[in-house]
């Protein structure tokens, strides 16, 4: 089990991770799923200023359930990563170092990880209650109008995941035809 | 005639929404535990342990099992001797879903239009299906159907002369395509026969069966067993990271069909299989 401090300052540390490695993430990350991705990439295409800093950033694909009063967050497991495949390369290029989701990615994402020295991690899908225990704080930082799909900044501690694409472009799953 | 007030239906539905999302049913939990005992792959064992622990945290701390608390699917068996007082059955059900998702701090995942995508903020409308049956009771079955697994579902309209082998190959291929993205270990609901839409509905309906229950149709019972074994040989495993546990169950619901047709619909369901029922 390897511990990684996030966001990523030292790319060399990331390059040491190999497909299949089990990691624990601690630090600050942001959340984004379908609609936030669409907006972020549209903003990049227009050449406008992004509402969040993507340099060294970790994006967790999640739309949490509402927090009960006095709680930080509701259930917060990963959503299907492949829906973000069309947007991910532009975000890796803009500085994102890690994405966290569940399931398969396409070739463009694998190539983009290699080209940008970035990685993709899988967290256990459907373990939203368990994973929420590793989230210590949550606040909306952009696109609040999107509700559960807003961009949140999360403080996480020992968040468990598995390396599914490494910086060499190795992929944990079988490549789909 | 027996009179049932809509308020009672609404309260029952709200309770089902909450219980389904916090309390993983015993058949699913038993299937996960049994898979853990049989699993030989160490990563697969770790994932299954996480899922069992997840279910226990959800129940104990009232955190939903999964953040995707689903599309509300409601099947009703309405006794013909029941009179509903106070409004329509459909409104009573939707009011119940709205109440349950608010009271239970469940995620509202429904958008009003597929293209403009504005959230209804209530998780309604529910997908409601009503069957009329003899008697004076109302049986309500509720499922919180997650979007990720649902997206991996498929239908194929076979020629009526298609072989069992071809049909099985299609089903296994759908599972392979779903794989890691649909949150395995999966539950596979299959609708066979009927019209295009009937097959799809039967696939969904089959998912309401309890894991471990035997299919009354002999051909389907045999196919369920054979398909489960074949699917578990794919090596996809829990979370898609390898292992012998790719599916917990295969359910087949057959229906008569046209001489020209043989539709086969596959509805993919994740391990966070949230189904509850109540009788009024």
């Amino acid at each position: 089990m390897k511990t990684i401090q996030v966001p990523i300052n030292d790319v060399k540390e990331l390059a040491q991770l190999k497909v299949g490695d089990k990691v624990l993430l601690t630090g600050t990350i942001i959340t984004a799923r379908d609609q936030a991705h669409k907006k972020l990439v549209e903003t990049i295409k227009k050449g406008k200023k992004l509402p969040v800093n993507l340099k060294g950033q970790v994006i967790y694909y999640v739309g949490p359930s509402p927090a009960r009063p006095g709680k930080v967050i509701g259930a917060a497991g990963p959503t299907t990563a492949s829906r973000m495949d069309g947007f991910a390369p532009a975000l890796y290029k803009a500085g994102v170092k890690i994405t966290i989701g569940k399931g398969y990615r396409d070739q463009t994402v694998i190539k983009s990880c290699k080209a940008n020295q970035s990685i993709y991690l899988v967290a256990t899908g459907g373990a939203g209650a368990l994973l929420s225990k590793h989230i210590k704080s949550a606040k909306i930082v952009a696109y609040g109008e999107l509700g559960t799909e807003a961009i949140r900044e999360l403080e996480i501690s020992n968040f468990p995941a598995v390396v599914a694409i490494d910086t060499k472009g190795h992929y944990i799953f079988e490549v789909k035809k | 005639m027996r009179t049932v007030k809509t308020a009672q239906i609404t309260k029952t539905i709200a309770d089902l929404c909450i219980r389904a999302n916090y309390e993983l049913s015993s058949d699913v939990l038993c299937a996960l535990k049994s898979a853990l005992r049989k699993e030989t792959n160490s990563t697969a064992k770790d994932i299954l342990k996480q899922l069992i622990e997840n279910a226990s945290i959800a129940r104990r701390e009232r955190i939903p099992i999964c953040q995707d608390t689903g599309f509300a699917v409601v099947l009703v068996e309405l006794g013909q001797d029941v009179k509903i007082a106070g409004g329509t059955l459909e409104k009573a059900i939707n009011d119940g879903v709205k109440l349950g998702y608010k009271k239970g701090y469940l995620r509202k995942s429904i958008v009003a239009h597929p293209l403009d995508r504005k959230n209804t903020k209530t998780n309604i409308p529910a997908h409601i299906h009503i069957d009329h049956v003899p008697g004076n009771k109302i049986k309500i079955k509720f499922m919180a159907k997650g979007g990720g697994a649902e997206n991996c579902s498929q239908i194929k309209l076979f020629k009526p002369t298609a072989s069992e082998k071809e049909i099985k190959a299609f089903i296994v291929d759908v599972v392979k395509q779903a794989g890691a993205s649909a949150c395995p270990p999966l539950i596979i609901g299959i609708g066979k026969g009927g019209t295009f839409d009937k097959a799809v509905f039967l696939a969904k309906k089959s998912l309401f069966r309890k894991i471990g229950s035997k299919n009354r149709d002999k051909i389907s019972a045999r196919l369920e067993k054979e398909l489960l074994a074949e699917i578990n040989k794919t090596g996809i495993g829990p979370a898609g990271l390898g292992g012998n546990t790719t599916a917990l169950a295969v359910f087949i619901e057959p229906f008569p069909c046209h001489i020209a047709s043989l539709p086969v619909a596959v509805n993919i369901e994740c391990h966070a299989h949230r189904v509850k029922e109540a009788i009024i």
Side-chain angles (χ1 to χ4, degrees):
Chain A
M1 202 75 89
K2 294 176 184 173
T3 305
I4 305 174
Q5 197 67 37
V6 289
I8 299 297
N9 297 317
D10 181 10
V11 186
K12 276 184 216 147
E13 193 192 19
L14 214 55
Q16 285 167 7
L17 294 175
K18 290 192 298 289
V19 147
D21 283 352
K22 289 173 184 164
V23 297
L24 295 173
L25 305 185
T26 295
T28 308
I29 65 172
I30 61 168
T31 70
R33 48 172 290 159
D34 307 72
Q35 300 303 329
H37 272 77
K38 198 174 166 187
K39 281 180 177 260
L40 286 174
V41 172
E42 274 168 8
T43 309
I44 292 174
K45 276 184 185 161
K46 284 179 191 157
K48 290 194 175 155
K49 191 179 178 314
L50 289 166
V52 284
N53 178 17
L54 295 183
K55 202 161 163 45
Q57 194 58 267
V58 180
I59 296 183
Y60 181 21
Y61 303 146
V62 59
S65 67
R68 281 180 180 276
K71 298 283 176 189
V72 165
I73 204 162
T79 195
T80 310
S82 60
R83 293 199 313 272
M84 270 50 82
D85 283 356
F87 305 110
L91 298 181
Y92 279 128
K93 203 177 160 202
V96 170
K97 284 292 151 203
I98 302 179
T99 60
I100 310 169
K102 66 165 164 108
Y104 305 123
R105 307 304 308 250
D106 70 11
Q107 281 295 338
T108 64
V109 178
I110 299 170
K111 280 183 191 155
S112 178
C113 279
K114 196 176 172 185
N116 297 291
Q117 291 293 290
S118 301
I119 64 172
Y120 163 57
L121 302 176
V122 287
T124 304
L130 176 82
L131 291 169
S132 77
K133 308 294 284 177
H134 297 275
I135 298 170
K136 303 301 165 193
S137 75
K139 66 171 182 208
I140 293 179
V141 291
Y143 308 147
E145 71 280 7
L146 294 179
T148 185
E149 297 203 56
I151 297 183
R152 286 172 172 78
E153 190 179 272
L154 306 182
E155 209 183 303
I156 56 170
S157 168
N158 293 321
F159 186 96
V162 177
V163 178
I165 302 174
D166 62 24
T167 57
K168 312 267 183 325
H170 297 128
Y171 183 48
I172 202 164
F173 303 115
E174 249 177 75
V175 176
K176 301 219 163 187
K177 282 170 213 144
Chain B
M1 286 302 260
R2 175 178 165 237
T3 302
V4 174
K5 288 184 183 160
T6 49
Q8 192 183 349
I9 297 166
T10 296
K11 192 176 167 291
T12 304
I13 294 272
D15 180 54
L16 289 175
C17 296
I18 294 171
R19 284 203 296 123
N21 276 295
Y22 290 103
E23 300 162 17
L24 191 66
S25 296
S26 58
D27 60 326
V28 185
L29 199 54
C30 284
L32 288 173
K33 285 180 180 169
S34 147
L36 177 61
R37 282 194 295 273
K38 288 180 207 155
E39 188 55 76
T40 50
N41 178 306
S42 73
T43 304
K45 280 184 174 205
D46 282 352
I47 305 278
L48 289 169
K49 279 182 201 159
Q50 281 186 8
L51 298 181
I52 293 164
E53 196 193 339
N54 184 65
S56 133
I57 293 172
R59 185 181 285 261
R60 193 174 61 234
E61 300 190 29
R62 311 310 279 172
I63 304 170
I65 294 162
C66 175
Q67 72 290 338
D68 181 355
T69 53
F71 206 123
V73 181
V74 182
L75 300 193
V76 183
E77 289 172 24
L78 177 62
Q80 290 187 124
D81 300 329
V82 176
K83 182 178 180 294
I84 292 170
T88 67
L89 177 57
E90 196 177 336
K91 182 169 185 302
I93 292 169
N94 277 318
D95 284 351
V97 171
K98 193 172 163 180
L99 180 66
Y101 275 69
K102 183 168 190 278
K103 238 174 84 180
Y105 295 92
L106 305 177
R107 196 179 82 182
K108 288 82 184 166
S109 310
I110 306 305
V111 294
H113 188 284
L115 294 181
D116 84 4
R117 307 209 68 87
K118 286 200 178 72
N119 200 301
T120 63
K121 298 186 177 170
T122 52
N123 216 57
I124 62 170
H127 168 25
I128 303 169
H129 181 88
I130 302 165
D131 283 325
H132 297 274
V133 299
N136 65 358
K137 300 266 196 295
I138 310 174
K139 188 170 187 178
I140 301 169
K141 297 179 184 178
F142 171 87
M143 182 190 299
K145 188 72 174 80
E150 190 74 356
N151 283 348
C152 299
S153 305
Q154 291 188 42
I155 183 166
K156 184 163 180 176
L157 300 148
F158 282 92
K159 287 176 185 161
T161 49
S163 68
E164 240 181 56
K165 200 177 155 193
E166 288 170 78
I167 294 167
K168 278 160 88 176
F170 165 67
I171 295 164
V172 174
D173 190 52
V174 173
V175 173
K176 281 185 185 165
Q177 285 181 51
S181 300
C183 286
L186 306 170
I187 297 165
I188 317 296
I190 300 163
K192 232 179 231 176
T195 51
F196 172 74
D197 54 325
K198 181 77 177 178
V200 171
F201 175 69
L202 290 172
K204 173 74 83 273
K205 192 181 171 191
S206 77
L207 292 173
F208 284 85
R209 246 176 71 198
K210 286 250 181 278
I211 298 176
S213 64
K214 199 165 160 58
N215 198 318
R216 271 178 284 184
D217 173 51
K218 275 190 184 159
I219 299 175
S220 299
R222 173 177 57 79
L223 280 174
E224 284 176 1
K225 221 173 151 186
E226 291 170 6
L227 276 164
L228 183 62
E230 219 169 298
I231 288 165
N232 283 333
K233 268 187 213 147
T234 58
I236 294 166
L241 296 173
N244 321 318
T245 320
T246 301
L248 299 174
V250 175
F251 298 134
I252 301 176
E253 191 81 18
F255 198 79
C257 62
H258 193 279
I259 51 171
S261 315
L262 204 177
V264 177
V266 184
N267 196 187
I268 300 289
E269 168 73 327
C270 56
H271 57 73
H273 179 50
R274 291 147 294 170
V275 174
K276 292 282 176 206
E277 61 178 62
I279 296 171
I280 299 177

